[in-house]
Each structure stands twice: as structure tokens, then as C-alpha cells.
Amino acid sequence: MNGLTLALGIGAAVVLVAVLAVRVSVRLGLPSLLLYLGIGVAIGEAGIGIRFDDAQLTQALGLAALVLILTEGGLTTRWTEVRPSVGIGIALSTVAVAVSIGVTATCLHYILGLDWKQAALWGSVLASTDAAAVFSVLRGLGVSKRLVGSLELESGLNDAPSYIAVVLLSTATTIDWMFPLLAVYELAAGALIGLGLGWLGAVGLRRVALPATGLYPLATVAVCVAAFSTGQLAHASGLLATYVAGLVLGNSKLPHRADTLSFAEGLGWLSQIGLFVLLGLFASPSRLLASVVPGLVAAAVLLLLARPLSVLLSVLPFRVPWRDQLFLSWAGLRGAVPIVLAMIPLSENLPGARDLVDAVFVLVIVLTLVQGGTLPFVARLLGLAKGARSEQVEVDAAPLDELGAELLQVKIPDGSRLHGIYLTELRLPPGATVSLVTREGDAFTPAPTTRLQVHDQILIVATQQARDATERRIRALDRAGRYARWRGEHGD
């Protein structure tokens, strides 16, 4: 019992320190992963003295955390924002991964003297970008939706092909022509499993009236985790199934959607904190010194050659401006994912696996400092930083089962074109009406002449038949204002 009490106390202290570290990282403009890794190192063998070197346990816990991080990423990705970037995002997460593996492997084979299989393994481990690292820096840069959507999709999708390549190279004795076909099957099957379970989960959650609000977030996350397990059992990509299921669920008309997203975001933060602290605890600073040169060489190859070439070749069909290509190249941050992937060959006791893990630690730290610290400057230098983007209107729904209706809660964000619209200009569909407006802490029943303002919260009661049309109308007004229909905006 004393051991459990001590472990819980240390865990709570680590989480609190990590939460406070987020504020520090925001001020410094760096991904918080560096501070989390630092916390892990501080309590490890070089600091307090806790020794932890179980590669298999680290890999298992890291993969579990990655599943929850991808769940949060899928649930919080807005389809309307990433839809224009689907082609680029898929190309970056497939073609760019293959090009990056090939270029990195070739360079490291000749520069570091690795044999071809080892070089291909290094390239596969380093091919995946990290969603947590990318978006902790991207927030607030004000770059275009096309760029943000491309990077968002890439970071959510490219873990799967990298994971498949690392597993195949770590477990197979020889490399043959079946590898590409097997990878295509795993990706296609994983995507289909994610689509199917995501759709079934969305339909079920809309139709089943659960007795407590807090059960909806739990059920939603459980569907995404089930997608991972189903994908793995079907010898498909469980990581891709997880992200796709989260993407489908996050863009469905789920009850209590805001509560679900808040829960998923908190779970994602906890997973990131636990994962990075665990990886920092696993690291050995004395051992990392011997891996500085290989890590720096791999970082230089990745940053200056592999990433730019992979971006250039993958976006050729999309006519992406050269400034956007440069930004995409510089924004390919590496984080926890390459370190977790490097644990797979270490768990299989492959020759040189320990050197790979140590070199990846060095690479992640160096690239995070170089890329993460300069990404805002690069965006301004390329003329891509246009100022902070306005948020989309937030619409949350709660079912009123006995009345056969839905209660919609709408929050009007900064920059919304709902600001200044009179209640009569909403022109909600039949079966929907505004019942309450909350403004600066005061709630009142609106009149037809009430004029909406930024930061207002609106309660709309709508029949189940009118619910979807009502939300589409609100989103159309948010984007295009009172003349939404004339401008061809329908809120889809």
C-alpha cells in the first residue's frame, strides 16, 4: 500500500508540474514535449535516481498513449476545415513517407555506414511527423486553412504507414516485393474499419438515450479504442482505424459534443504528458552523448534533404505555391512517435537498436529546438502569417428525449458574422426557435428585435427533424452573415 501511495503522489506531482509547464512552453513558443522529456530525465537515473529501462513496457505504454492521442486528434479535426486539403494530406502521409524513407535510408547508408536494412529501419522510424508537436506550435500562427488542414491530416495519418514499415522491418528476416502490397492492404483495411465503426458509433450514440451526460464521452472514446483493437486483430492498421473513427465521430451530430471534445482533449493532454515523461525517464543522458553525431547527421539529412524532397514530390499534382511548400517542409516536426517506433526494434533485440533509440532522442530534441523555435519566424518571412484565424461557431446539442426535441447551445466566437444579426434575420427552419440568450452573465428571453453580439450564448430548441437544418443555418450565418444564401453558403 505504501508503494501505491508513493506512486500516486509522484504521478499527481508530475501531472501538476507538467500542466504548469504548458504555460511556460507557450511563452517560449516551443512544444511542451521538451519540458515533459526534461521532467522525465529529472526523475530518472540522472536526477532523482529512478531507474527504468524496460523497452517492451515502454513500447506498450507508448502505443496505448498514441492511440488516445490519435483519438483526440480525430475527434477535434473539423472536416469542413480539412476537406480542401484532403488530397495534399493523403499525399503527404503516403507518398511523402515513402520518399522520406528512401532518401533517409540511402543517405544514412553511405554517411553512417549502416547496412541497407538498418538504414531502411532508421528511415521508417523518422518518417512520421508528430501531431502533438506540430499543433502546439501551429496554434495562433494564422497561416491558411489549407496549410493547417494539410499538416493536420498528415500528422494524423502518417503514423500508420510508418508503424507498418517499422514492424515489417523489425520482424521480417528478408525484404521482398510483398511489402508494398501488404502495406496497402493494412492501410485500406484500417481506413474501412475506422469508417465502419465510426459510423456505427455515431448512429448508436444519437439513438441511445444514456442516463448520464458523462457516459457519452466515455462511449465515444471506447469506440475509437475498439477501432484500434479491431484493426490490429484483422491484421490491418489499427492506428489508421483509430484516427478515421475519431474523425467520423467528431464530425457527426453527437449529443453533448462539446463535453465529448473537452473530455477527449483532457485525455489527450494526459496521454502526451505520460508518454513524454515516460520516454524521458527511459532516456539515459550518459548514453545519449555517444549518439550526438549520428543524431545530428540524421537530423540534417531529414531537415535539409528528405523532408523537402518528400514534400516537393508528393504535392506536385496539386500546384502548391513554393512558399507553402517551404513552410510544409519546415513544419514537419518530430516528437514522441519516432521514439515510440524506435522501441519496436529494441524490443525485438535487433542489432544496433539501442543506438537508433538514442540517436532518435537527440534528433527529436535538436529538430524541436530548430524547427519549433523558428516556425513563427519562417511563417512571417514567407508572408504566410495573416494573423490569428477566427474560430468557428460552437454548437452543442443535448437530447430532450421525452419531448422528441434537441436543445442546441450556440457560442458566438470572435470574428463571427453572426455578430450584429437581428433575431428575425436568423430565419431558422420550422420547428426551431431561440428560447434564451446569455450575455455578459445575464440571461434574458430575446425579442424579434434582439441583436446578437460576439460572446453571446444562445439556446435553441429544435425538433429532431429540424435539428440538422438548424445547425447548418447557424454555421452558414457564422461564415457569411445575413446574406448567406445569396452568397451560396449553406453551412455544409
Side-chain angles (χ1 to χ4, degrees):
M1 182 63 69
N2 290 334
L4 176 61
T5 302
L6 181 62
L8 290 175
I10 293 175
V14 168
V15 171
L16 289 173
V17 172
V19 169
L20 294 175
V22 176
R23 186 175 182 85
V24 177
S25 69
V26 171
R27 287 186 176 182
L28 295 177
L30 293 174
S32 53
L33 71 88
L34 287 181
L35 297 178
Y36 299 157
L37 286 172
I39 293 172
V41 171
I43 64 177
E45 60 182 57
I48 295 178
I50 298 177
R51 185 174 181 82
F52 180 79
D53 58 0
D54 191 330
Q56 291 186 339
L57 181 58
T58 302
Q59 177 199 335
L61 293 176
L63 189 58
L66 185 57
V67 169
L68 295 177
I69 291 171
L70 286 176
T71 296
E72 188 258 344
L75 290 173
T76 56
T77 297
R78 292 184 182 271
W79 178 247
T80 54
E81 292 190 0
V82 303
R83 182 170 53 188
S85 309
V86 167
I88 299 176
I90 293 176
L92 287 173
S93 57
T94 52
V95 177
V97 168
V99 173
S100 180
I101 292 174
V103 173
T104 304
T106 302
C107 292
L108 296 183
H109 169 72
Y110 289 107
I111 298 174
L112 297 181
L114 303 175
D115 64 51
W116 280 111
K117 186 175 180 179
Q118 279 187 319
L121 188 58
W122 279 56
S124 301
V125 165
L126 299 175
S128 178
T129 58
D130 188 88
V134 168
F135 286 100
S136 61
V137 177
L138 274 183
R139 292 189 185 103
L141 284 186
V143 296
S144 70
K145 291 183 179 180
R146 189 187 193 197
L147 283 175
V148 173
S150 300
L151 291 167
E152 189 169 352
L153 282 175
E154 179 196 17
S155 62
L157 296 174
N158 67 3
D159 295 342
S162 299
Y163 176 79
I164 292 171
V166 171
V167 170
L168 290 175
L169 289 167
S170 299
T171 56
T173 55
T174 58
I175 302 176
D176 56 37
W177 61 272
M178 288 294 292
F179 270 37
L181 295 179
L182 184 58
V184 170
Y185 158 74
E186 292 195 20
L187 293 175
L192 290 175
I193 290 171
L195 284 171
L197 288 181
W199 179 79
L200 289 174
V203 172
L205 288 170
R206 284 199 300 265
R207 293 185 178 181
V208 176
L210 298 177
T213 301
L215 295 176
Y216 286 95
L218 286 175
T220 302
V221 172
V223 170
C224 296
V225 176
F228 171 79
S229 298
T230 304
Q232 293 297 101
L233 292 173
H235 300 287
S237 174
L239 294 177
L240 184 58
T242 301
Y243 182 76
V244 173
L247 188 63
V248 173
L249 286 165
N251 290 275
S252 302
K253 306 298 189 296
L254 294 180
H256 304 289
R257 183 176 181 275
D259 294 326
T260 298
L261 296 185
S262 295
F263 176 79
E265 185 179 6
L267 199 60
W269 274 110
L270 183 61
S271 300
Q272 292 176 42
I273 292 170
L275 175 57
F276 294 135
V277 171
L278 176 68
L279 296 176
L281 184 62
F282 183 85
S284 175
S286 59
R287 216 175 45 239
L288 293 181
L289 293 175
S291 300
V292 169
V293 172
L296 291 177
V297 169
V301 168
L302 196 64
L303 181 63
L304 303 177
L305 192 60
R307 176 66 180 180
L309 273 177
S310 63
V311 169
L312 174 64
L313 295 177
S314 60
V315 303
L316 274 178
F318 303 101
R319 297 181 180 178
V320 178
W322 66 269
R323 287 186 177 86
D324 290 10
Q325 291 186 38
L326 287 177
F327 183 81
L328 290 172
S329 298
W330 200 256
L333 298 178
R334 268 62 183 177
V337 176
I339 304 176
V340 173
L341 295 181
M343 294 295 172
I344 298 175
L346 184 60
S347 301
E348 298 291 332
N349 296 316
L350 294 185
R354 176 66 71 175
D355 295 334
L356 171 59
V357 172
D358 294 340
V360 171
F361 267 104
V362 173
L363 177 144
V364 167
I365 293 171
V366 170
L367 290 188
T368 300
L369 288 171
V370 173
Q371 292 175 272
T374 60
L375 198 58
F377 169 75
V378 171
R380 292 193 298 270
L381 182 66
L382 295 173
L384 300 176
K386 306 298 183 183
R389 296 183 300 130
S390 61
E391 299 177 3
Q392 286 193 7
V393 65
E394 183 179 328
V395 182
D396 192 20
L400 304 174
D401 300 300
E402 295 182 1
L403 301 178
E406 300 269 355
L407 184 64
L408 306 183
Q409 180 180 351
V410 180
K411 297 179 181 179
I412 303 179
D414 291 322
S416 172
R417 294 194 174 183
L418 280 165
H419 177 75
I421 290 181
Y422 290 99
L423 208 65
T424 54
E425 294 177 317
L426 290 179
R427 295 187 179 88
L428 299 178
T433 184
V434 178
S435 61
L436 193 71
V437 173
T438 300
R439 180 176 297 162
E440 297 179 351
D442 295 326
F444 59 92
T445 302
T449 55
T450 298
R451 199 172 190 180
L452 301 179
Q453 297 180 12
V454 168
H455 303 149
D456 280 356
Q457 295 190 45
I458 312 166
L459 289 183
I460 301 174
V461 179
T463 63
Q464 292 178 346
Q465 293 79 10
R467 185 243 192 270
D468 290 345
T470 301
E471 183 169 346
R472 284 196 300 270
R473 176 60 179 166
I474 291 296
R475 294 195 182 282
L477 292 168
D478 171 60
R479 291 196 286 259
R482 55 174 57 88
Y483 303 116
R485 288 198 180 102
W486 291 5
R487 293 170 176 168
E489 174 62 72
H490 300 290
D492 297 328

